Amino acid sequence: MSGERQEMSLDLSLPASAPRKPVRARVLAVLRPAFVLAGVVVLALLIRDVGTRELLAVLSRAAPWLPLVLALEAARLVLDAVGTWVAYGSRSREVPLPSTIRAQLISTVVSSLAPAGRTAGEALKAALLSPYTGAATAAAAAATSQAASLVAGGLISLPCALAAYLLTGPSWVTLALIVHTVLLVLVGAGLRCGMRARRLGGWLNRRVHRLAPHTETFQESARGCALLPARPILAILLGRVLQVAQYGVLAVAVGIDTTVVRALFAQGLNLVALAVGALVPGQFGVSDGAFALSAGALGTTTAKAMSIALIAHAMQVLFVLVGSLTPLMWKTGSPKRG
């Protein structure tokens, strides 16, 4: 979730003074509102189909459980911040952990709302923490954190896939989670390999000379820990375990007879929704549809299954608000230079 790729713009014979957006940026500028609209429409149709009154009754029943759900989400965000902090390796002592937690809260706004937002969130964390170690080291830590997140997501998907198989057999959810497991671990490992590859660093140095000092620092930082660094992966994986507990609590809150298997299955649905709805900010409509379709596997009604996703959306919006206010309410001093 860190490095930005260089994009090429189409030559539309514009005047030289007129700035031209990359092709991808222009395409996403059109697609993002379309995906947002589609997600809201799907969510509205699902709510209409289930019934507003029935949903409100389920949601009101869940209200007493919300403080515990919020506490689990806060703890998960702290563990994500710890994952980024330990990704600095031997230089983590130069980066205050409170500043990392602050950066995590601020980046939550981008991670929650931007399509494929975790990548942008890690980049923002790197920018916020770069005054402590320099941009190249912060970028390496952010990329390591991203790789650790991918691997941790793949690892937690494995028991979720087993739970899906126990509840639904060889269904689309089971297959999706198995593919999710393999892809995320491979992509996470591939990202770390690319960060450490000397040939790639040499190629960049030859092509873009001004990047040479930064590339060397970046790769030196990337090689400062194992190919798959245990501490960042463990911290983020523990956060995913907390998220399983969180979805278990949500299921109990809405009145579902919950087991560990069903909690893992609910987390699996969340992971599938995140993957399928990567371009939909907040996965509005996508996660709701996934839970609605899987009500039978959860042994409950569509209203109760959908309520899990709706409460998760509300919690997401709350932490986006907290993240938006963090720069105003939580100031940090200038880093001390040795």
Side-chain angles (χ1 to χ4, degrees):
M1 303 177 115
S2 44
E4 295 277 337
R5 292 181 299 178
Q6 294 291 326
E7 304 284 355
M8 295 185 65
S9 300
L10 287 177
D11 185 3
L12 299 179
S13 300
L14 292 175
S17 59
R20 292 173 295 176
K21 291 183 179 180
V23 175
R24 183 186 177 194
R26 281 181 280 160
V27 171
L28 288 178
V30 175
L31 289 181
R32 283 172 184 168
F35 280 119
V36 172
L37 179 61
V40 171
V41 169
V42 169
L43 181 57
L45 290 174
L46 287 169
I47 291 174
R48 187 186 69 174
D49 186 58
V50 172
T52 307
R53 184 172 299 178
E54 187 175 356
L55 278 173
L56 287 175
V58 174
L59 292 171
S60 63
R61 170 179 177 166
W65 293 87
L66 293 184
L68 177 56
V69 174
L70 291 172
L72 287 170
E73 180 64 10
R76 185 188 70 80
L77 290 174
V78 168
L79 283 169
D80 271 9
V82 170
T84 298
W85 185 60
V86 296
Y88 279 86
S90 61
R91 300 197 64 179
S92 61
R93 65 177 67 92
E94 300 174 32
V95 184
L97 180 57
S99 295
T100 312
I101 294 173
R102 176 181 180 272
Q104 178 71 44
L105 289 173
I106 296 171
S107 70
T108 299
V109 180
V110 176
S111 300
S112 299
L113 299 180
R118 174 137 192 156
T119 301
E122 289 292 348
L124 178 57
K125 275 194 280 184
L128 290 170
L129 297 174
S130 61
Y132 296 99
T133 61
T137 300
T144 298
S145 177
Q146 166 71 346
S149 175
L150 291 168
V151 173
L155 293 177
I156 200 64
S157 296
L158 194 57
C160 293
L162 177 59
Y165 180 78
L166 292 174
L167 290 176
T168 65
S171 64
W172 67 270
V173 182
T174 304
L175 178 60
L177 285 167
I178 291 172
V179 172
H180 195 258
T181 298
V182 175
L183 281 180
L184 261 62
V185 172
L186 289 179
V187 173
L191 176 57
R192 284 287 297 161
C193 286
M195 292 170 61
R196 296 154 59 95
R198 296 185 186 277
R199 287 187 178 181
L200 178 59
W203 182 86
L204 283 172
N205 290 343
R206 290 192 299 273
R207 294 297 186 279
V208 190
H209 296 295
R210 63 186 177 83
L211 289 181
H214 305 292
T215 302
E216 291 173 6
T217 303
F218 179 92
Q219 292 204 305
E220 183 182 345
S221 298
R223 296 190 196 106
C225 54
L227 176 64
L228 294 179
R231 293 197 300 167
I233 292 173
L234 179 60
I236 296 173
L237 181 59
L238 287 174
R240 300 298 172 266
V241 172
L242 284 184
Q243 200 168 38
V244 173
Q246 185 183 62
Y247 274 93
V249 171
L250 281 173
V252 171
V254 300
I256 299 174
D257 184 15
T258 306
T259 62
V260 173
V261 172
R262 283 180 175 164
L264 284 166
F265 180 71
Q267 168 69 336
L269 290 175
N270 174 55
L271 293 172
V272 170
L274 285 171
V276 174
L279 290 176
V280 182
Q283 287 72 52
F284 283 94
V286 180
S287 58
D288 313 88
F291 275 91
L293 288 173
S294 302
L298 287 169
T300 188
T301 64
T302 303
K304 289 181 179 180
M306 248 188 78
S307 294
I308 295 176
L310 290 174
I311 295 172
H313 289 322
M315 180 175 57
Q316 189 177 42
V317 170
L318 177 60
F319 276 95
V320 165
L321 178 61
V322 171
S324 300
L325 294 175
T326 297
L328 301 175
M329 307 299 294
W330 185 352
K331 303 292 184 180
T332 58
S334 300
K336 296 179 180 178
R337 297 295 182 182

